[in-house]
Amino acid sequence: MPQMHTGNSADPGNSDDSNVDELERLLVEGVTLSQAPAAPPASPPLQREDGDVGTQGGDVQGAIGLFAEAAQDLATAGVELGLGRHFACVDYCNQVAEKAAQAVSLLRFGRMSTYDHDLGKLGALVGAPREIQDEMAILTPFHPESFYADTPPEEADDVISAEQASGYLQSARHVLRWARNIVLNP
């Protein structure tokens, strides 16, 4: 029997980690067709300076889809870490940060933001707080194009220790939590 997400964060079984776990479970297991179709998420009204209320021009469905990809990449990063493939882990962490920020961009602006693989700058473009921009900047060097410019592929896993990869995984998790609070709770 499929479980329904209540969104009740006061419930100890529904903490930040359990919400991510539930999202990951849904991504892996999917949902059954016996469930009633959910109504599309509505964009919340925005109060403009002139006092009028308008609708948000963002792409809610696109943002949720891209956020789901980021959550899936986070799960894959954990698997890669467990397999001892440290560069693959941090490469996925880089992708988590990018997709999470771009999901926020889709929601806020209706489009993805153009940037040059500097995740810290992307964070600034989408309005991330300074601490999230810093977490994103930590993951910037692990874009494959940049990383392989100085490191031969056969040495990639040896350059990054398991402890370092675990720390980068925590940074990606922090960025994803920030984006989740925006994308899934607009």
Side-chain angles (χ1 to χ4, degrees), residues 32-45:
T32 63
L33 293 176
S34 64
Q35 291 178 320
S43 296

Side-chain angles (χ1 to χ4, degrees), residues 108-132:
R108 288 183 172 169
F109 312 123
R111 61 174 171 70
M112 294 205 300
S113 296
T114 304
Y115 80 112
D116 62 356
H117 299 295
D118 182 330
L119 294 172
K121 288 181 184 176
L122 176 60
L125 284 172
V126 301
R130 185 77 223 161
E131 69 183 62
I132 297 300

Side-chain angles (χ1 to χ4, degrees), residues 125-144:
L125 284 172
V126 301
R130 185 77 223 161
E131 69 183 62
I132 297 300
Q133 292 176 43
D134 293 344
E135 296 276 15
M136 292 176 73
I138 289 169
L139 298 168
T140 293
F142 302 110
H143 185 276

Side-chain angles (χ1 to χ4, degrees), residues 66-142:
L66 197 53
F67 176 83
E69 286 182 35
Q72 193 169 26
D73 285 350
L74 185 67
T76 302
V79 169
E80 294 292 1
L81 177 62
L83 293 172
R85 298 180 351 183
H86 304 144
F87 175 70
C89 171
V90 297
D91 177 22
Y92 274 105
C93 290
N94 175 286
Q95 292 178 50
V96 168
E98 177 181 0
K99 290 175 184 177
Q102 292 290 17
V104 171
S105 181
L106 280 172
L107 186 66
R108 288 183 172 169
F109 312 123
R111 61 174 171 70
M112 294 205 300
S113 296
T114 304
Y115 80 112
D116 62 356
H117 299 295
D118 182 330
L119 294 172
K121 288 181 184 176
L122 176 60
L125 284 172
V126 301
R130 185 77 223 161
E131 69 183 62
I132 297 300
Q133 292 176 43
D134 293 344
E135 296 276 15
M136 292 176 73
I138 289 169
L139 298 168
T140 293
F142 302 110

Side-chain angles (χ1 to χ4, degrees), residues 74 131-132 135 169-179:
L74 185 67
E131 69 183 62
I132 297 300
E135 296 276 15
L169 192 59
Q170 290 301 318
S171 292
R173 194 171 277 128
H174 192 204
V175 172
L176 190 66
R177 283 184 183 138
W178 161 77

